[in-house]
Amino acid sequence: MSAMYGHADDDWLVRAHGDIDQWAAVMDVDADDRPIDWNWVRTLDLVHGVGVATVHDCDAGASSDVHDLLRRDLMIRDRLEAILTCCDRVFMTDYDRLIPSYRLPRALAHANRRLNDEINLLRDRGVAEGLWTVAYEHRERVTVPVLQAAEGAPAVDDIQDRTAELVNGRAERRKRAREQRGAGDRLIVAANLEGAIAAGGAAADEGTTAASPIGSDWRDVYLPGRGLDTVMGVDIETTGTDPLRDYIIDVGFEYMNMVTPRPQDAPAGMPYVDSSYQAGDAYGQARLGFGVTRANAWHGNEAIRNLTGIDVKMRSSSQWRLFDEWPQAQRGLLMRLEQQPFVAHNANFEHRFFLHNVAGYAESYRAGHIVIIDTMPMSRRWDEGSAPSEAHPYGDNSLESYAKRQGALPGDSSERHLGLEDAHIMLVAMKHHLTALREAHRGPWGPDGVSGTGGKRAKGRRW
């Protein structure tokens, strides 16, 4: 399938094979608790593709067995993603630094995206040949394609997409593990409290603050501190939600100071697509567009075109370079991410895509050089307008709703789903919100607030 790939600098993909022994030394099992066959990983051709089909196999009417090709590709993808799903956890908890580089997972993700393109084209071929139809169904955490065999055609049970089964199964296992850990922690706390209860039945320490109405949440680590000032807002648009299968096609970023004035000599940046957007306190705006593989363009992506206006069918020409094959663009973005805290709405989305696309990002994050702030938990915890409802059990915390409540987006406008524009309304909303919280002595200035910039930063092992 190399004919449908982008034009990669192959050297880093070749060098990634040299990292396998380091990973094999510390990573024994995959996300489904199966032993990892690292010798199988060594056989993968990361340069020319890990799938079994050729470019001609994806054409309707080809003489090859499309059913068998699709079955084998799906098996490879399931096996590869089970390994990739564990890599970030293993890398971040490698306190002895036995694995110095995240290059191998990036290379495997690079190959997996192109394998996913191949799978989509093989499905398209089956539809074109009248072997099956494809419908999309939402199953708990993911949406998957479901094949229905045409009348008189072979059954398709062995080529159904297993993503929902795998992803939901892994999530349930993680949930059970958290519950077990939580039960153990509560037993320890209860045992410790037995000696801390006063004779009258009251706790010895009555100085604790009331709990938040929504309780503690893992996203709280992304909240800003009271000393935050200069930040870079980032928003990315992608061909889907999975960094192991989807491509970054648009990146927008800009800077804003939360306390001090906008630098007078700051660059004006580029205009927004909507003339009603005013830069205000923002500066250093930039918009970067990227391409997709020819296979991805051939398959098309109507959902993303309707959402963002970006038609991937027009993004496979030489003028559109792929982000995961453009080292200079990756280095430029990483340099900016390291210089000050970066802000995103639902920041784990950007973080996961950067891990699997940006050379050096995982290493820099692990070393503590990157600080991430998320406006979603700001909305969730500190915005009274984000009230839980039947439609939104945890509150309406979308970027569009948050921006409207904070006066960053008119009520009759909509989120543009373009990187620069969404980064802008996010930062404007964040500044309005922090200003109001400061005046009310809430948020970072409340009893649960923290000093400094706040945000999430890898601290490494504490000896």
Side-chain angles (χ1 to χ4, degrees):
M1 292 293 287
S2 60
M4 288 192 287
Y5 285 15
H7 301 284
D9 173 8
D10 298 342
D11 289 347
W12 78 277
L13 295 170
V14 174
R15 292 195 301 272
H17 266 283
D19 301 339
I20 291 176
D21 287 344
Q22 298 163 355
W23 284 87
V26 298
M27 188 169 163
D28 301 325
V29 297
D30 64 17
D32 301 315
D33 295 326
R34 297 175 305 189
I36 297 174
D37 183 354
W38 288 105
N39 287 326
W40 172 76
V41 178
R42 289 185 178 89
T43 69
L44 298 176
D45 186 345
L46 302 181
V47 175
H48 299 103
V50 299
V52 298
T54 68
V55 62
H56 302 296
D57 288 324
C58 295
D59 293 335
S63 60
S64 54
D65 185 343
V66 65
H67 189 117
D68 184 61
L69 292 171
L70 180 56
R71 179 185 61 82
R72 292 162 64 191
D73 269 2
L74 287 169
M75 291 174 62
I76 294 170
R77 191 183 68 180
D78 289 348
R79 194 173 180 181
L80 191 54
E81 290 183 353
I83 296 172
L84 276 164
T85 300
C86 294
C87 286
D88 60 336
R89 175 186 56 80
V90 170
F91 185 75
M92 295 304 166
T93 57
D94 175 28
Y95 301 117
D96 295 324
R97 298 300 188 261
L98 299 175
I99 310 172
S101 170
Y102 205 70
R103 178 172 51 196
L104 179 62
R106 282 196 304 109
L108 295 177
H110 178 278
N112 195 70
R113 289 184 204 106
R114 287 141 183 86
L115 174 63
N116 193 63
D117 293 342
E118 182 174 307
I119 289 170
N120 285 332
L121 291 185
L122 290 173
R123 285 200 190 102
D124 292 347
R125 176 186 158 187
V127 172
E129 294 179 354
L131 297 175
W132 54 68
T133 59
V134 180
Y136 289 85
E137 294 183 6
H138 187 72
R139 297 181 176 177
E140 295 186 61
R141 296 165 180 83
V142 295
T143 299
V144 295
V146 179
L147 274 57
Q148 179 69 44
E151 186 175 353
V156 293
D157 293 347
D158 61 336
I159 53 173
Q160 293 289 5
D161 193 302
R162 297 179 60 236
T163 302
E165 172 189 341
L166 295 170
V167 169
N168 294 326
R170 292 163 190 162
E172 286 302 314
R173 289 194 294 274
R174 290 194 299 269
K175 180 181 177 182
R176 288 195 296 270
R178 286 195 301 270
E179 290 172 347
Q180 291 171 356
R181 289 195 300 270
D185 291 343
R186 285 191 293 274
L187 288 174
I188 293 173
V189 171
N192 290 338
L193 284 175
E194 287 181 1
I197 299 298
D205 180 7
E206 297 181 349
T208 57
T209 58
S212 165
I214 65 169
S216 61
D217 189 273
W218 64 270
R219 300 173 186 85
D220 289 351
V221 297
Y222 290 100
L223 291 169
R226 64 180 67 99
L228 185 69
D229 189 18
T230 302
V231 297
M232 184 179 82
V234 182
D235 185 85
I236 65 174
E237 301 301 327
T238 61
T239 58
T241 60
D242 191 338
L244 305 182
R245 299 184 184 180
D246 298 307
Y247 299 89
I248 295 175
I249 52 177
D250 184 69
V251 176
F253 60 84
E254 67 178 28
Y255 298 83
M256 189 176 289
N257 296 352
M258 296 292 111
V259 178
T260 58
R262 177 186 186 277
Q264 292 188 359
D265 59 348
M270 59 180 57
Y272 307 102
V273 296
D274 190 329
S275 60
S276 67
Y277 282 39
Q278 300 299 315
D281 295 329
Y283 58 96
Q285 296 92 339
R287 184 197 313 277
L288 307 172
F290 303 100
V292 298
T293 62
R294 278 169 280 181
N296 191 278
W298 289 348
H299 176 66
N301 197 321
E302 193 68 11
I304 293 301
R305 189 183 71 82
N306 291 336
L307 181 68
T308 68
I310 299 173
D311 187 353
V312 299
K313 291 183 177 180
M314 309 300 293
R315 292 224 170 179
S316 65
S317 65
S318 58
Q319 74 179 95
W320 295 103
R321 294 191 63 176
L322 280 82
F323 182 65
D324 64 2
E325 296 181 353
W326 195 348
Q328 295 85 353
Q330 295 168 33
R331 284 196 295 268
L333 180 60
L334 178 60
M335 178 185 69
R336 289 168 172 81
L337 294 172
E338 292 174 327
Q339 288 176 345
Q340 69 292 296
F342 84 81
V343 181
H345 195 80
N346 188 20
N348 195 47
F349 181 82
E350 276 77 8
H351 174 66
R352 291 172 63 236
F353 269 90
F354 292 160
L355 279 175
H356 295 97
N357 282 272
V358 179
Y361 176 86
E363 295 86 344
S364 183
Y365 176 78
R366 186 175 70 171
H369 301 321
I370 292 175
V371 179
I372 311 172
I373 292 172
D374 194 340
T375 50
M376 182 177 282
M378 288 182 61
S379 170
R380 178 180 166 85
R381 181 167 291 280
W382 295 334
D383 186 345
E384 293 83 353
S386 173
S389 65
E390 185 175 349
H392 302 282
Y394 301 102
D396 188 354
N397 300 303
S398 68
L399 175 58
E400 180 176 315
S401 298
Y402 176 63
K404 287 180 177 179
R405 290 196 301 268
Q406 298 301 328
L409 189 66
D412 58 352
S413 298
S414 300
E415 180 183 348
R416 292 305 303 265
H417 295 288
L418 289 173
L420 178 57
E421 284 67 28
D422 291 354
H424 180 65
I425 62 171
M426 174 185 67
L427 288 188
V428 173
M430 179 183 182
K431 186 163 186 173
H432 289 179
H433 196 186
L434 286 176
T435 299
L437 290 170
R438 187 185 304 110
E439 293 173 352
H441 303 289
R442 296 179 53 242
W445 297 272
D448 296 329
V450 297
S451 60
T453 61
K456 184 178 181 182
R457 177 196 302 242
K459 296 182 174 63
R461 191 168 188 171
R462 293 186 291 270
W463 298 95

